[in-house]
Amino acid sequence: MTKLEDSLNKIAENILYLDEASLMSLWEKYKTKMETFSFSPDWEKSVVIFSIINSIRVKNAIFNEQLLKKKTADEASPAKTKSGKPTLRLVK
C-alpha cells in the first residue's frame, strides 16, 4: 500500500466512527457554506465536510438496505422447510 492509500485508510477509519445522527445536525450548516461559493480554503473544507457527511449517509443507507435484504431472505428460507417434509416430486 502506498503512503497516500495509508493516509486515506486512516481518514476512512476515523470517519467510520462518526455518528450519522450527530453529523446530520451539521448537514444544513455545511450545505449553506458550500452553496455560498468563495475562493477560500474554508469553502473548500466545507465542500469536503459536506461530502463526508453525505458519504456516511449513503454508506448507512446501503448497509441498512443489504441488512434488510439478508434478514428478509433468512426469514423466507426457514418458512419453506418448517413443515419437516422433504420436497419430492414424482418422476415417471
Side-chain angles (χ1 to χ4, degrees):
M1 216 184 286
T2 67
K3 194 171 186 175
L4 177 60
E5 286 176 308
D6 285 340
S7 295
L8 290 172
N9 273 313
K10 287 177 185 175
I11 292 168
E13 199 170 297
N14 289 330
I15 289 170
L16 287 174
Y17 288 109
L18 301 176
D19 176 54
E20 181 180 357
S22 300
L23 289 172
M24 287 310 297
S25 67
L26 300 171
W27 189 84
E28 191 64 42
K29 174 184 176 179
Y30 286 98
K31 178 180 179 277
T32 303
K33 282 185 168 189
M34 184 188 70
E35 290 174 338
T36 310
F37 178 78
S38 67
F39 293 101
S40 70
D42 283 341
W43 178 83
E44 292 179 26
K45 288 178 194 176
S46 296
V47 173
V48 171
I49 292 169
F50 184 74
S51 299
I52 289 169
I53 293 169
N54 282 324
S55 68
I56 294 296
R57 292 175 69 193
V58 169
K59 187 260 312 169
N60 287 345
I62 293 168
F63 183 89
N64 291 335
E65 181 181 326
Q66 293 301 316
L67 192 63
L68 184 61
K69 279 183 184 177
K70 181 174 177 5
K71 183 178 178 183
T72 304
D74 289 348
E75 288 174 356
S77 294
K80 292 179 183 176
T81 59
K82 277 188 178 180
S83 66
K85 297 178 184 176
T87 305
L88 302 174
R89 64 183 178 137
L90 181 62
V91 179
K92 294 184 181 181

